[in-house]
Amino acid sequence: MSRTVRRPAPVVTVDGPSGVGKGTLARLLAQRLGFHLLDSGALYRLVGFCARRAGVAFDDPAALAGIARELDVEFVAGDSDPPLRARVAGTDVSDDIRTEAAGRDASLVAAVPAVREALLARQRDFRVPPGLVADGRDMGTVVFPDAEVKLFLTASAEERAHRRYKQLIAKGIDATLTRLSAEIAERDRRDSERAVAPLRPAEDAVVVDTSSLSIDDVLARALQVAAARGVCPRP
Ligand code: DC
């Protein structure tokens, strides 16, 4: 009796530090390839948000992991930014989890090994046909180590602070460049130095420095890398 071994759906991973443009690239790539999208940072943001709302201490790993396991979240496609709206128990919290404070909380809960463990299977469940573009910090190293295409974006901390500043001002949100630079540096440090799943490129990742590239350039480069590995846009 012959058994068919079914290959899992293809995955493109997009990792890199805060504010490097992973989200924008992942959204455009998913559109071009006709793939699903996983914004793994949103999961960490949601855990931080729900923990704060429930009054759970950030130094209580068991309680934080419980929140991660029981997260009643649903991602709904929309045409706004972010492209996937997050609903917790039916309420849209997408804007609440996008603040700088929510980013800081996310970075704190993301350093807790039990939280990462609790989110692992949930992230892998996104890998369904026709394929997935997954954006985060450890997509290529831990969550999808067998991904067909691995991209790692970089840009200087100054450039990333500048981009974030422009985004916030465009949205009418008050911000200062000095404070954003300090926050980005602090998050970089925490995300890179943590003991579990620290931010680093997978050995087989293609590193793209986006400092002086437009988003169109980055997308073109990403599609080139994907095509070389047999992952091509929808006809
Ligand atoms: O990508 P983001 O800014 O939404 O991520 C928020 C935080 O979550 C970030 O500081 C690091 C953490 N994170 C992580 O540790 N692993 C991931 N795969 C995604 C995000």
Side-chain angles (χ1 to χ4, degrees), residues 53 72-74 87-91:
R53 198 172 56 174
D72 174 16
V73 61
E74 187 190 11
R87 285 202 203 134
V88 170
T91 304

Side-chain angles (χ1 to χ4, degrees), residues 17-53:
S18 302
V20 77
K22 299 182 301 289
T24 309
L25 175 65
R27 175 170 53 82
L28 295 173
L29 266 179
Q31 269 168 11
R32 290 292 291 270
L33 299 171
F35 282 9
H36 300 281
L37 182 62
L38 165 62
D39 170 6
S40 62
L43 292 173
Y44 290 97
R45 286 173 182 266
L46 285 162
V47 174
F49 173 77
C50 292
R52 199 162 279 286
R53 198 172 56 174

Side-chain angles (χ1 to χ4, degrees), residues 133-213:
V133 178
D135 140 21
R137 305 292 189 291
D138 61 343
M139 298 295 99
T141 48
V142 176
V143 182
F144 303 109
D146 61 338
E148 280 70 9
V149 184
K150 297 184 186 180
L151 299 160
F152 190 93
L153 305 189
T154 63
S156 67
E158 297 76 42
E159 174 62 24
R160 288 182 284 131
H162 231 101
R163 289 180 191 169
R164 185 78 187 130
Y165 177 76
K166 282 200 291 194
Q167 270 175 0
L168 290 174
I169 296 299
K171 284 187 190 164
I173 300 171
D174 201 21
T176 71
L177 203 48
T178 324
R179 176 133 174 245
L180 282 174
S181 295
E183 281 175 359
I184 283 193
E186 173 62 17
R187 268 218 267 164
D188 277 1
R189 193 192 54 71
R190 213 169 19 229
D191 294 343
S192 315
E193 291 178 5
R194 68 179 174 225
V196 55
L199 173 67
R200 63 173 173 79
E203 272 174 21
D204 49 349
V206 173
V207 178
V208 181
D209 184 345
T210 71
S211 301
S212 56
L213 298 180

